[in-house]
Amino acid sequence: MTGKEGRVRYNEKLEGWLRDLDVDTFGIADMSRYGEEITGIGDLTAGELPFAVSFGIVLSVGVLGTLKDGPTQLYLHHYRQLNYRLDMIGYFLGRSMEREGFRAIPFAASQVVDWQRQRGHINHKKVGVMAGLGWIGRNNLLVHPLFGSQVRYNTVLTDMPLEVNRELGLDCGSCTACIAACPAGAIRMERSEFDHHGCYEMLSRFRKERNIGHHICGVCVKVCRGKR
Ligand code: B12
């Protein structure tokens, strides 16, 4: 199946698979516009694997509700379980594509492969924006119009021909909920002024002092609720 008709048919197949896998949101990005190397495995997006499926599952409102000024053991567990589930969804989606005779690479929800530059294989937030799922907010996270920042994401690259989505072209408007909430005071009105190092220092403290073992916080996620 080639051409637009074929792409639309594969989009329908994809929708069915993702519905069965119970994702909350997904979109398709044209990776010829990604403009970066896929860390650790070179540039496969120039022609070999030109499509990315970005998909997300939402965090539990109940678990987020238990966060006050930083991460808890319950949030840590939830974070790890959702990462595991996103990795499994990526695996099953990739397998469905391979069964149809296509190539697919599922990535990890939260694996750092370049520690110096703090990078994963692929930037899920950037792919999500390109796939029309939301915008990068003042809190430096991908903000979904319905779920805010309360979504975790993963990406599968493929050569299965698909119709791609467009960027939403929205932003946070006048919402500043995350600025007041951030325990590190790292968030500013101007997104470009986000204090990466201030945020990272606070995450490092939480990691040690609260026996969390991971660089997580969750407070700017909790307050960025979208329409939930
Ligand atoms: C490494 C990593 C981190 C690192 C560094 C992130 C970073 N690069 O800034 C640390 C540990 C700080 C981190 C923190 C958090 N993360 Co994180 N993280 C990742 C991971 C695994 C890779 C990110 C990546 O490769 N980025 C690529 C770079 C180039 O993109 P960038 O971040 O836009 O680039 C900027 C930084 O590199 C920055 N920079 C430059 N120098 C330095 C130095 C330091 C020390 C830092 C920190 C940044 C920095 O400058 C670049 C340009 O602005 C992704 C998963 C993935 N594969 O995408 C999750 C991911 C981005 N994280 C996520 C989340 C939720 C968090 C936390 C809220 C933790 C938590 N769960 O409680 C905090 C959020 C802090 C914040 N408000 O930004 C989610 C975001 C979901 C969403 N809705 O947007 C992701 C997508 C995981 C997922 N599967 O959903 N994370």
Side-chain angles (χ1 to χ4, degrees):
M1 279 191 286
T2 51
K4 183 162 167 95
E5 203 186 315
R7 291 196 299 274
V8 170
R9 293 266 294 279
Y10 284 124
N11 273 52
E12 282 165 9
K13 256 185 204 285
L14 176 75
E15 249 173 66
W17 293 331
L18 288 169
R19 208 179 310 116
D20 291 347
L21 291 165
D22 212 16
V23 305
D24 290 295
T25 185
F26 76 93
I28 298 144
D30 168 5
M31 288 302 281
S32 66
R33 295 172 46 240
Y34 184 65
E36 284 175 49
E37 189 183 307
I38 309 295
T39 311
I41 57 169
D43 186 8
L44 290 167
T45 60
E48 282 186 67
L49 298 174
F51 305 102
V53 181
S54 172
F55 54 91
I57 55 178
V58 301
L59 287 118
S60 148
V61 177
V63 171
L64 287 172
T66 66
L67 296 179
K68 300 225 154 41
D69 58 352
T72 57
Q73 290 295 323
L74 184 62
Y75 178 66
L76 168 65
H77 180 71
H78 191 53
Y79 158 87
R80 289 159 74 172
Q81 291 303 307
L82 293 199
N83 284 344
Y84 175 70
R85 183 154 166 243
L86 282 165
D87 289 357
M88 286 296 109
I89 293 172
Y91 166 72
F92 286 120
L93 179 60
R95 282 295 298 132
S96 298
M97 290 167 167
E98 287 178 351
R99 278 193 202 102
E100 289 286 326
F102 296 108
R103 291 179 64 193
I105 301 185
F107 290 97
S110 197
Q111 181 190 27
V112 177
V113 291
D114 179 340
W115 281 90
Q116 211 152 17
R117 295 189 303 159
Q118 284 288 319
R119 280 180 188 225
H121 282 107
I122 190 165
N123 184 342
H124 299 319
K125 290 188 292 186
K126 182 170 178 175
V127 177
V129 171
M130 289 166 55
L133 296 187
W135 61 91
I136 302 300
R138 295 194 168 93
N139 61 2
N140 190 41
L141 296 175
L142 175 52
V143 182
H144 187 283
L146 295 180
F147 306 120
S149 297
Q150 302 182 350
V151 187
R152 293 189 66 76
Y153 294 92
N154 198 357
T155 306
V156 172
L157 288 184
T158 185
D159 59 0
M160 186 166 101
L162 294 164
E163 283 287 289
V164 297
N165 297 110
R166 293 224 187 111
E167 290 191 17
L168 286 186
L170 300 172
D171 61 31
C172 297
S174 59
C175 180
T176 56
C178 58
I179 297 183
C182 175
I187 306 173
R188 315 265 188 278
M189 276 309 276
E190 280 305 315
R191 188 165 73 74
S192 58
E193 288 172 17
F194 180 86
D195 179 2
H196 292 280
H197 289 279
C199 169
Y200 193 78
E201 266 166 40
M202 185 54 82
L203 298 178
S204 302
R205 270 184 57 189
F206 287 147
R207 178 169 173 261
K208 271 203 201 134
E209 290 170 11
R210 299 195 182 189
N211 197 23
I212 295 290
H214 287 262
H215 284 97
I216 57 172
C217 169
V219 176
C220 68
V221 175
K222 175 185 174 180
V223 300
C224 182
R225 304 153 53 124
K227 295 191 163 57
R228 286 180 103 181

